[in-house]
Amino acid sequence: MRWRHALLLLLIVLLAGCSGSKTRPPASSGGSHARGASSSGGGVSSGGFQDDTSRPQSSRYRDGSDSVPDGPPPDVSKLPEPVPKVEPRALYGNKTPYTVLGQTYQVLPGPGGYVERGIASFYGNKFHGYKTSSLEDYDMYQFTAAHKTLPLPSYARVTNLENGKSVIVRINDRGPFHENRLIDLSFAAAVKIGVWPKGTGLVEVRAIDPAQPLTAQALPPPPPAPKPASPGPGIYLQVGAFSDVTNAERVAQQLRVANFAPVQVVDAQINGRSIRRVRVGPIASVDQADDVTSRIEGMGLPRPQVAVD
């Protein structure tokens, strides 16, 4: 009888141990952003869950698609902008070159002199609290951003070319890897300059070198005075840049035959060399630019590059 009682007690102990729940990392059904750095593990995020950055993007995140918080947007007028300062490069997220979705990118050696115009997007709930590519926690209520080639961390002033609003952001993440996008803003930064709730916006990204006086390099351009029927900045798709005028005209004619309009061949000087840029545009919207990009690629031509003028 004693051995039966001992066996029964052992079974009770084992069942009690199996009934306890274990903490598991959040799972999701997918995600279009390539976030986070490759590493052997991860860590407990500020949201209290385990973020395993070694997991594939399809199963790393709790949510399957991105979203924004319910209710009115935050009052970003009370949120201080980051103050650019010299920081050491992050141990993660600065590998160069690196490849995502078949495209290879070169991380810039420094922020100095970088100015580019393009399309901004933003990211929110899906990534909030998860690790960025530099293994910092992403906080959508801070002025941060993701960029494909600027060093991590670095700073930039982002100006909405459609309304003149600007914000300084700290870049601590890689992305966006959606074609035709230049920068991915945090939710707060998108609210600050009016990219939210529209979803995208035409912006100028002007990197800041903390070793240089801020006022000399990153002041936002003054908003132009409103003019009657004055057109805003336009989206153009550059299909190629050619030193040979015959090649430029050949590609332009292919585009015209395929009913892309208007098609321009624009003369330009690069490092003392004369080139001809073949461009389609202006294009009315970001969605239309995405559609035209896919159609041009479907013709077997190179993927166009976005230009905002």
Side-chain angles (χ1 to χ4, degrees), residues 128-144:
H128 184 65
Y130 286 86
K131 300 296 181 184
T132 66
S133 296
S134 58
L135 292 190
E136 299 177 7
D137 289 346
Y138 170 59
D139 185 346
M140 65 179 171
Y141 298 111
Q142 298 296 319
F143 293 141
T144 63

Side-chain angles (χ1 to χ4, degrees), residues 192-210:
K192 175 84 171 180
I193 67 172
V195 170
W196 180 91
K198 184 179 177 181
T200 56
L202 306 185
V203 300
E204 178 184 89
V205 178
R206 184 176 294 269
I208 299 171
D209 184 352

Side-chain angles (χ1 to χ4, degrees), residues 35-68:
R35 297 288 176 201
S38 298
S39 67
S40 59
V44 177
S45 77
S46 58
F49 53 80
Q50 179 76 21
D51 181 10
D52 185 356
T53 58
S54 67
R55 297 180 67 176
Q57 300 294 318
S58 60
S59 63
R60 179 180 163 203
Y61 298 106
R62 176 181 55 245
D63 301 330
S65 58
D66 203 5
S67 62
V68 297

Side-chain angles (χ1 to χ4, degrees), residues 79-152:
L79 182 63
E81 296 185 14
V83 177
K85 60 183 178 180
V86 176
E87 298 185 61
R89 283 201 173 204
L91 296 178
Y92 297 93
N94 282 310
K95 178 184 176 182
T96 189
Y98 70 96
T99 301
V100 175
L101 301 177
Q103 297 292 319
T104 299
Y105 304 93
Q106 298 279 347
V107 176
L108 296 171
Y114 176 89
V115 182
E116 192 168 355
R117 291 184 170 192
I119 300 169
S121 50
F122 70 91
Y123 57 129
N125 275 332
K126 177 179 178 178
F127 306 97
H128 184 65
Y130 286 86
K131 300 296 181 184
T132 66
S133 296
S134 58
L135 292 190
E136 299 177 7
D137 289 346
Y138 170 59
D139 185 346
M140 65 179 171
Y141 298 111
Q142 298 296 319
F143 293 141
T144 63
H147 194 274
K148 293 184 279 286
T149 60
L150 282 169
L152 303 183

